[in-house]
Short mmCIF file of all heavy atoms in Angstrom, two decimals:
data_model
loop_
_atom_site.label_atom_id
_atom_site.label_comp_id
_atom_site.label_asym_id
_atom_site.label_seq_id
_atom_site.Cartn_x
_atom_site.Cartn_y
_atom_site.Cartn_z
N GLU A 22 -7.30 -4.55 5.65
CA GLU A 22 -7.62 -4.46 7.08
C GLU A 22 -6.53 -3.78 7.86
O GLU A 22 -6.81 -3.02 8.82
CB GLU A 22 -7.93 -5.84 7.58
CG GLU A 22 -9.24 -6.40 6.99
CD GLU A 22 -9.74 -7.67 7.66
OE1 GLU A 22 -9.92 -7.68 8.87
OE2 GLU A 22 -9.96 -8.66 6.94
N ALA A 23 -5.27 -4.06 7.49
CA ALA A 23 -4.18 -3.34 8.16
C ALA A 23 -4.23 -1.83 7.90
O ALA A 23 -4.03 -1.03 8.83
CB ALA A 23 -2.83 -3.89 7.66
N LYS A 24 -4.59 -1.48 6.67
CA LYS A 24 -4.77 -0.04 6.37
C LYS A 24 -5.87 0.56 7.21
O LYS A 24 -5.75 1.68 7.68
CB LYS A 24 -5.08 0.07 4.86
CG LYS A 24 -5.34 1.45 4.37
CD LYS A 24 -5.65 1.39 2.86
CE LYS A 24 -6.21 2.71 2.35
NZ LYS A 24 -6.54 2.64 0.91
N HIS A 25 -6.93 -0.21 7.42
CA HIS A 25 -8.02 0.30 8.27
C HIS A 25 -7.55 0.52 9.72
O HIS A 25 -7.86 1.58 10.32
CB HIS A 25 -9.16 -0.69 8.27
CG HIS A 25 -10.25 -0.42 9.24
ND1 HIS A 25 -11.15 0.64 9.07
CD2 HIS A 25 -10.63 -1.03 10.38
CE1 HIS A 25 -11.98 0.66 10.06
NE2 HIS A 25 -11.70 -0.34 10.87
N ILE A 26 -6.80 -0.38 10.25
CA ILE A 26 -6.23 -0.21 11.61
C ILE A 26 -5.33 1.03 11.65
O ILE A 26 -5.41 1.82 12.59
CB ILE A 26 -5.49 -1.48 12.04
CG1 ILE A 26 -6.49 -2.62 12.28
CG2 ILE A 26 -4.66 -1.21 13.37
CD1 ILE A 26 -5.87 -3.98 12.47
N MET A 27 -4.50 1.15 10.66
CA MET A 27 -3.60 2.31 10.59
C MET A 27 -4.39 3.62 10.56
O MET A 27 -3.97 4.62 11.17
CB MET A 27 -2.66 2.28 9.38
CG MET A 27 -1.62 1.13 9.52
SD MET A 27 -0.68 0.94 7.96
CE MET A 27 0.14 2.52 7.83
N ALA A 28 -5.49 3.61 9.84
CA ALA A 28 -6.26 4.90 9.67
C ALA A 28 -7.15 5.17 10.94
O ALA A 28 -7.34 6.37 11.20
CB ALA A 28 -7.14 4.78 8.46
N THR A 29 -7.60 4.16 11.58
CA THR A 29 -8.61 4.42 12.60
C THR A 29 -8.09 4.19 14.04
O THR A 29 -8.70 4.63 15.01
CB THR A 29 -9.82 3.53 12.45
OG1 THR A 29 -9.44 2.16 12.50
CG2 THR A 29 -10.46 3.82 11.08
N GLN A 30 -6.96 3.48 14.16
CA GLN A 30 -6.39 3.18 15.51
C GLN A 30 -4.86 3.42 15.52
O GLN A 30 -4.08 2.47 15.61
CB GLN A 30 -6.68 1.75 15.90
CG GLN A 30 -8.22 1.44 15.91
CD GLN A 30 -8.36 -0.07 16.15
OE1 GLN A 30 -7.84 -0.64 17.07
NE2 GLN A 30 -9.18 -0.72 15.30
N PRO A 31 -4.43 4.64 15.39
CA PRO A 31 -2.99 4.96 15.25
C PRO A 31 -2.16 4.41 16.34
O PRO A 31 -1.04 3.91 16.11
CB PRO A 31 -2.96 6.49 15.22
CG PRO A 31 -4.35 6.96 14.99
CD PRO A 31 -5.27 5.87 15.38
N ALA A 34 -1.73 0.75 15.83
CA ALA A 34 -0.85 0.49 14.74
C ALA A 34 0.61 0.64 15.16
O ALA A 34 1.45 -0.22 14.84
CB ALA A 34 -1.17 1.44 13.60
N ILE A 38 3.44 -2.38 15.19
CA ILE A 38 4.70 -2.25 14.49
C ILE A 38 5.87 -2.38 15.43
O ILE A 38 6.85 -3.04 15.11
CB ILE A 38 4.73 -0.85 13.78
CG1 ILE A 38 3.78 -0.87 12.59
CG2 ILE A 38 6.18 -0.52 13.32
CD1 ILE A 38 3.46 0.47 11.98
N LEU A 56 4.65 6.93 9.90
CA LEU A 56 3.30 6.51 9.44
C LEU A 56 2.41 7.70 9.10
O LEU A 56 1.63 7.68 8.17
CB LEU A 56 2.60 5.67 10.47
CG LEU A 56 3.13 4.27 10.68
CD1 LEU A 56 2.41 3.61 11.86
CD2 LEU A 56 3.02 3.44 9.45
N TYR A 57 2.48 8.75 9.95
CA TYR A 57 1.38 9.70 9.92
C TYR A 57 1.73 11.14 9.52
O TYR A 57 0.86 11.90 9.20
CB TYR A 57 0.65 9.73 11.29
CG TYR A 57 0.06 8.38 11.61
CD1 TYR A 57 0.61 7.53 12.53
CD2 TYR A 57 -1.07 7.98 10.89
CE1 TYR A 57 0.07 6.32 12.79
CE2 TYR A 57 -1.65 6.72 11.18
CZ TYR A 57 -1.04 5.88 12.11
OH TYR A 57 -1.61 4.65 12.34
N LEU A 69 -1.54 8.31 4.43
CA LEU A 69 -2.02 6.92 4.29
C LEU A 69 -2.63 6.68 2.94
O LEU A 69 -2.47 5.58 2.34
CB LEU A 69 -3.04 6.61 5.37
CG LEU A 69 -2.46 6.32 6.76
CD1 LEU A 69 -3.62 6.15 7.77
CD2 LEU A 69 -1.61 5.03 6.76
N TYR A 72 0.23 6.39 0.08
CA TYR A 72 1.00 5.19 -0.18
C TYR A 72 0.22 3.86 -0.21
O TYR A 72 0.78 2.82 -0.23
CB TYR A 72 2.22 5.06 0.78
CG TYR A 72 1.99 4.87 2.26
CD1 TYR A 72 1.40 3.72 2.72
CD2 TYR A 72 2.43 5.83 3.14
CE1 TYR A 72 1.28 3.53 4.05
CE2 TYR A 72 2.33 5.63 4.50
CZ TYR A 72 1.70 4.49 4.96
OH TYR A 72 1.60 4.26 6.28
N THR A 73 -1.09 3.98 -0.18
CA THR A 73 -1.84 2.75 -0.32
C THR A 73 -2.78 2.71 -1.51
O THR A 73 -3.47 1.75 -1.70
CB THR A 73 -2.69 2.49 0.98
OG1 THR A 73 -3.51 3.62 1.20
CG2 THR A 73 -1.78 2.24 2.16
N ARG A 135 -9.45 10.77 6.21
CA ARG A 135 -10.00 11.20 7.44
C ARG A 135 -10.12 12.71 7.41
O ARG A 135 -9.42 13.40 6.82
CB ARG A 135 -9.09 10.91 8.65
CG ARG A 135 -8.62 9.48 8.74
CD ARG A 135 -8.08 9.26 10.06
NE ARG A 135 -6.62 9.10 9.90
CZ ARG A 135 -5.78 9.06 10.92
NH1 ARG A 135 -6.23 9.30 12.14
NH2 ARG A 135 -4.51 8.90 10.78
#
Side-chain angles (χ1 to χ4, degrees):
E22 291 190 57
K24 177 179 167 181
H25 172 71
I26 292 169
M27 289 173 65
T29 61
Q30 301 174 52
I38 289 167
L56 290 175
Y57 299 106
L69 282 175
Y72 67 64
T73 58
R135 304 195 253 168

